[in-house]
């Protein structure tokens, strides 16, 4: 995600859904204090803004400067660019020090991390008593049977171009390491299935694909998977091209404590 161009970062911002507020309420109900939350891999700040309703301060970090620059300002949210060259000690200090974070969230980002390094930092900054970490990913978009059938063909065509990292997301985090104590909101090997309701126009739906990492990766290798003929199929299946449809992103959550 650090390699997103300016244009792709804007398209990412425009096409991604807002996570349900009930998720933040449930997570906040599991932490014993509500002073500081860390949104790691914040992207354009969607999760940071939701978490801010329940915590006094949110530190939102990302390695992509362009994503951070597009994030919406909020009086409770501090955005920090954290390049890979930043030392663990510096990052811990910027987050508030050891044993200082009540909630850590990784929204649509955990599969990109160096998990060994990340989890070592989590164990340093997450409160030993009453702190939790939560991560979620969405990996499918449900519109109508006709549209979804075309989408499945497109998804299947990306298989040769997916990295192991991408496959962690496509698998709904079933295979990702998550070595934390189960709090019944999804655990290692058994993520909790959820849905994210959203509304999209046809332009918004097609815009989603412009920053969709499997297609970006395929294009880098000289393969244009979303061909004009397939775009026409999507248009025909959509029907009225001005119609905004109710859609749902299939999502999966993991959450735990030390």
């Amino acid at each position: 995600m650090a390699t997103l161009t300016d244009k792709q970062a804007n398209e990412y911002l425009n096409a991604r859904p807002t996570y349900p507020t009930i998720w933040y309420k449930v997570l906040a109900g599991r932490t014993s204090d509500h002073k500081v939350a860390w949104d790691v891999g914040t992207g354009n700040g969607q999760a940071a803004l939701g978490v801010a309703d329940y915590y006094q301060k949110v530190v939102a970090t990302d390695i992509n400067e362009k994503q951070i620059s597009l994030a919406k300002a909020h009086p409770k949210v501090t955005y920090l660019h954290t390049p890979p060259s930043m030392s663990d000690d510096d990052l811990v200090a910027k987050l508030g020090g050891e044993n200082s974070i009540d909630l850590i969230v990784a929204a649509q980002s955990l599969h990109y991390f160096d998990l060994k390094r990340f989890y070592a930092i989590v164990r340093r900054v997450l409160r030993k008593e009453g702190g939790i970490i939560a991560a979620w990913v969405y990996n499918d978009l449900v519109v109508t049977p006709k549209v979804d059938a075309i989408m499945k063909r497109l998804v299947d065509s990306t298989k040769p171009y997916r990295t192991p990292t991408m496959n962690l997301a496509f698998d709904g985090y079933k295979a990702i390491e998550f070595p934390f104590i189960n709090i019944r909101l999804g655990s290692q090997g058994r993520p909790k299935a959820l849905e994210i309701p959203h509304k999209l126009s046809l332009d918004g739906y097609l815009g989603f694909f412009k920053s969709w990492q499997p297609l970006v990766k395929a294009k880098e290798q000289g393969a244009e998977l979303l061909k004009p003929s397939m775009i026409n199929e999507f248009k025909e299946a959509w029907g009225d091209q001005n119609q905004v449809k109710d859609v749902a992103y299939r999502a999966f959550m993991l959450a735990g404590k030390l």
Side-chain angles (χ1 to χ4, degrees), residues 74-143:
H74 188 286
K76 289 186 181 180
V77 179
T78 300
Y79 292 103
L80 293 176
H81 176 228
T82 52
S85 59
M86 180 179 289
S87 72
D88 293 1
D89 287 343
D90 282 349
L91 178 55
V92 169
K94 288 180 180 297
L95 291 172
E98 310 269 346
N99 199 41
S100 63
I101 305 294
D102 300 299
L103 172 69
I104 297 173
V105 296
Q108 198 71 8
S109 59
L110 185 66
H111 51 291
Y112 291 109
F113 298 167
D114 174 343
L115 292 180
K116 182 177 179 180
R117 183 182 182 192
F118 174 58
Y119 289 152
I121 295 170
V122 168
R123 292 185 181 95
R124 292 177 63 181
V125 300
L126 189 62
R127 290 193 188 278
K128 305 302 184 289
E129 299 293 334
I132 67 169
I133 175 174
W136 58 82
V137 67
Y138 55 86
N139 65 359
D140 201 0
L141 182 55
V142 179
V143 185

Side-chain angles (χ1 to χ4, degrees), residues 21 54 56 74 81 113 121 128 145 176 186 202 204 221 243 245:
T21 55
Y54 298 94
Q56 295 172 26
H74 188 286
H81 176 228
F113 298 167
I121 295 170
K128 305 302 184 289
I176 204 166
L202 176 61
Q221 298 179 39
Q243 184 183 26
K245 294 185 183 293

Side-chain angles (χ1 to χ4, degrees), residues 131-175:
I132 67 169
I133 175 174
W136 58 82
V137 67
Y138 55 86
N139 65 359
D140 201 0
L141 182 55
V142 179
V143 185
T144 66
K146 286 185 178 180
V147 173
D148 297 347
I150 304 167
M151 174 70 167
K152 185 180 186 307
R153 282 169 35 217
L154 181 59
V155 169
D156 288 346
S157 74
T158 68
K159 289 179 181 178
Y161 305 97
R162 292 184 210 161
T163 63
T165 293
M166 291 178 194
N167 282 328
L168 290 172
F170 272 93
D171 195 39
Y173 282 178
K174 293 182 182 71

